[in-house]
Amino acid sequence: MHKIGFIIYPGFSPMNFAVTSVFEITNWKAGSGVYQVTLLSERGGPVATSLGYEIQTSSFKRRTFDTLIIAGSIAAPAATPGLLSYLRSAVDRTARIASVCTGALVLAEAGLLDGRRATTHWQFARNMQRRYAKIAVEEDRIFIIDGPIWTSAGMSAGLDLALALVEIARAVAKILVVYHRRAGGQSQYSTLLDLDATSDRVQTALTYAKEHLSKPLAVNDLANAAFLSPRQFSRLFREETGRSPAKAIEQLRVESARLMMEAGRFSAEEIARKNGFGNRERMRRSFVRAFGQPPQAIQRTVSALVQ
């Protein structure tokens, strides 16, 4: 049986428990106790979540596990000296130490990430890099494995990390009705969600663009949707989004195309056509500008994961 210690602390987010569901389903699917999960805290006993209710825990003192996972929180967690000392001592007797979301900041404070690649939620990544210069922080990754240390981005990315930990991930993902599993190198955040505007007119144009990505979408088209002149629209659009209409449309197209590739159900030609690139070569150039790699790299990753 593989023993997993799941470390929590006052103010941790209950969303972390989604990670433990992966091990629960794995045990059920295997028909035996493959994984034993123990909720841990420094002193044991009840620990309050960020919502106020309490979770019963055991003390991690003088305990040894095959895998340790430290939970994340909405705010940056405050690591106690006892927790840091335990993590430092656990490195030599634990096969894997992992973090969910901002739990990576605790690993960083303990020095476990020095000289390693790591990730955390994108809102904390740059501050983490500034504070811990010895860490190679990659803010646009779902999860990263560097030797025995595993780090994940936002709390939902903890599911991807947990699925990567188990050996029958595809079957577990199917039962949980989640994607089997996202590659660690995927983007944390989406242009489709991030691109927003404050005025109704620019927001209307963005909605129109998202619904008509297969069309040419010239500035005149977007301006008409916003009931503005092309000049007024371009000026207002840049003020509200920080980018030109042409650049925004390209970002929307490559993001939509990437999501279609990750779904694994469409050919490259169909993806290029549905997202308004016209042909595969134009799509390739846009992908290289946006992601630093061609569409084929993402398609190879998806193919490897679903096999």
Side-chain angles (χ1 to χ4, degrees), residues 102-252:
T102 55
L105 297 173
V106 179
L107 299 186
E109 184 66 19
L112 271 61
L113 301 180
D114 288 356
R116 298 186 184 277
R117 296 166 54 244
T119 192
T120 188
H121 192 283
W122 60 270
Q123 286 188 310
F124 294 87
R126 295 185 183 180
N127 181 59
M128 179 176 168
Q129 183 66 87
R130 286 192 295 268
R131 186 173 178 183
Y132 305 100
K134 294 181 180 180
I135 305 172
V137 179
E138 299 184 23
E139 66 177 279
D140 199 21
R141 293 293 182 270
I142 296 296
F143 64 87
I144 288 177
I145 305 168
D146 192 326
I149 308 298
W150 300 45
T151 53
S152 69
M155 292 178 198
S156 63
L159 276 172
D160 300 283
L161 181 144
L163 286 167
L165 286 169
V166 305
E167 295 180 355
I168 54 173
R170 187 176 185 184
V172 174
K174 186 174 182 181
I175 293 170
L176 290 172
V177 198
V178 297
Y179 181 72
H180 166 252
R181 53 186 158 78
R182 292 182 293 176
Q186 287 184 217
S187 176
Q188 284 193 36
Y189 48 87
S190 169
T191 302
L192 292 168
L193 299 177
D194 183 56
L195 188 61
D196 206 350
T198 56
S199 70
D200 290 341
R201 291 195 176 190
V202 174
Q203 189 60 56
T204 297
L206 283 172
T207 300
Y208 175 85
K210 294 172 186 178
E211 293 175 351
H212 298 84
L213 287 178
S214 63
K215 296 184 177 180
L217 292 177
V219 172
N220 286 347
D221 299 321
L222 300 177
N224 288 336
F227 297 100
L228 293 168
S229 71
R231 184 176 179 180
Q232 287 176 311
F233 174 76
S234 295
R235 177 182 55 79
L236 186 61
F237 190 94
R238 186 179 288 276
E239 287 177 358
E240 294 192 15
T241 68
R243 66 202 80 186
S244 69
K247 185 63 176 177
I249 295 304
E250 181 179 57
Q251 290 176 314
L252 289 172

